Amino acid sequence: MTDYLTTKELAALLRIKERKVYDLAASGSVPCSKAMGKLLFPKRAVEAWLARESFGLDQTAGEPLPNVLLGSHDPLLEWALRESRAGIASYVDGSSDGLARFGRREGLAAGLHLYDAARDAWNLPAVERRFSAMPVVLMEWAKRQRGLILSHDVAEDVTGIADLKGKRVAARQDESGAQALFTHLLAQAGIDQTMIEVTPPARSETDAALLVLEGRASVAFGLKALAAQYRLPFLPIVEERFDLLIDRRAYFEPPMQMFLAFCRSDRLSARAQDLGGYDLAQFGRVHFNGA
């Protein structure tokens, strides 16, 4: 069966003991299947796993992940992490940063809102490119209203992306999903980056909105929830899907289960309604289930 490797063959390939191969299989770290009581490892999936180097081949592969949520910032998610008391910390510095750190096993989940223009899809293409043969789950958390948060003095002048020429815009870091989408929309509207003035990067949704509130920017490409919180004019542009990419083993561990249980509660629904700009109707829908 040339399409599959035996335990012995995989051990020889990885230069580790067969016992370690069994440990990797038991933890879900390496793609495998079972037939007639024997473990078999799909050769193509193993090759993809090795190429991505996402979960490594060293002694850390089977170790528990840090209780840290990576990726994109979201004010409702930030609140839910605190209120759930699930013991999950956060390190949020953009969707792309979260994907990279998740691949290096620096956290148990990553929040994502990455738009793929070629496929007109959220998050799935980016996950498939890196984690198609990995034990991960891509689960919908919420849909969010994103658009232009405006200062009061430009609100009447801005009716869309095309009106941003000459305006001072709150920039986001390159690793953020918001900045990637904003760059795409600017190009669609025929606006070159040189036609707008930008601030130093704001590294969270809240920081971007505060730049407008404090008069240091005229516009931010941000969330409706924060525009409402700071009583700033808001022009809706897109409804985006915010997903959680979760390590499958960590998904079933107490911290993540406690957090997800809180996310199903009436308290979270009430908070989302108070903030505005969120749609939780499809919370928990699985968009991808890795090998």
Side-chain angles (χ1 to χ4, degrees), residues 142-213:
K143 291 186 176 67
R144 313 187 298 186
Q145 290 292 326
R146 180 176 293 280
L148 302 179
I149 300 176
L150 304 168
S151 63
H152 292 283
D153 59 344
V154 303
E156 293 184 1
D157 301 329
V158 177
T159 61
I161 297 289
D163 296 325
L164 296 185
K165 185 177 179 180
K167 301 293 189 296
R168 183 168 171 80
V169 179
R172 298 293 308 280
Q173 68 271 41
D174 291 339
E175 299 86 352
S176 74
Q179 187 64 27
L181 178 59
F182 184 58
T183 300
H184 168 71
L185 293 174
L186 284 175
Q188 274 194 332
I191 297 181
D192 186 86
Q193 295 276 1
T194 61
M195 298 178 181
I196 60 174
E197 183 184 357
V198 297
T199 67
R203 306 200 78 87
S204 74
E205 298 287 354
T206 302
D207 289 345
L210 283 172
L211 287 175
V212 179
L213 180 68

Side-chain angles (χ1 to χ4, degrees), residues 97 110 128 153 163 166 187 226 238-239:
D97 179 80
E128 287 179 334
D153 59 344
D163 296 325
L226 288 170
V238 64
E239 182 181 66

Side-chain angles (χ1 to χ4, degrees), residues 95-279:
S95 295
S96 295
D97 179 80
L99 272 183
R101 292 180 183 275
F102 183 81
R104 297 195 297 266
R105 296 179 61 80
E106 295 180 19
L108 50 76
L112 310 175
H113 63 111
L114 290 168
Y115 179 67
D116 187 290
R119 291 174 55 178
D120 189 26
W122 293 97
N123 304 317
L124 184 59
V127 170
E128 287 179 334
R129 281 193 294 270
R130 291 200 60 185
F131 300 99
S132 62
M134 306 301 173
V136 299
V137 175
L138 183 68
M139 187 193 80
E140 183 168 335
W141 194 73
K143 291 186 176 67
R144 313 187 298 186
Q145 290 292 326
R146 180 176 293 280
L148 302 179
I149 300 176
L150 304 168
S151 63
H152 292 283
D153 59 344
V154 303
E156 293 184 1
D157 301 329
V158 177
T159 61
I161 297 289
D163 296 325
L164 296 185
K165 185 177 179 180
K167 301 293 189 296
R168 183 168 171 80
V169 179
R172 298 293 308 280
Q173 68 271 41
D174 291 339
E175 299 86 352
S176 74
Q179 187 64 27
L181 178 59
F182 184 58
T183 300
H184 168 71
L185 293 174
L186 284 175
Q188 274 194 332
I191 297 181
D192 186 86
Q193 295 276 1
T194 61
M195 298 178 181
I196 60 174
E197 183 184 357
V198 297
T199 67
R203 306 200 78 87
S204 74
E205 298 287 354
T206 302
D207 289 345
L210 283 172
L211 287 175
V212 179
L213 180 68
E214 295 167 359
R216 290 185 285 164
S218 297
V219 183
F221 186 53
L223 299 176
K224 180 180 179 179
L226 288 170
Q229 180 178 345
Y230 297 128
R231 295 179 172 83
L232 292 168
F234 179 77
L235 181 67
I237 299 294
V238 64
E239 182 181 66
E240 63 183 13
R241 200 182 80 216
F242 190 100
D243 294 336
L244 295 178
L245 177 65
I246 308 172
D247 175 84
R248 192 158 57 212
R249 184 173 65 170
Y251 179 93
F252 294 102
E253 294 296 326
M256 183 56 67
Q257 285 294 300
M258 186 174 180
F259 171 67
L260 293 177
F262 179 83
C263 291
R264 298 184 184 96
S265 70
D266 291 339
R267 285 188 64 198
L268 185 80
S269 298
R271 179 68 173 180
Q273 187 170 2
D274 288 343
L275 289 174
Y278 288 95
D279 179 359

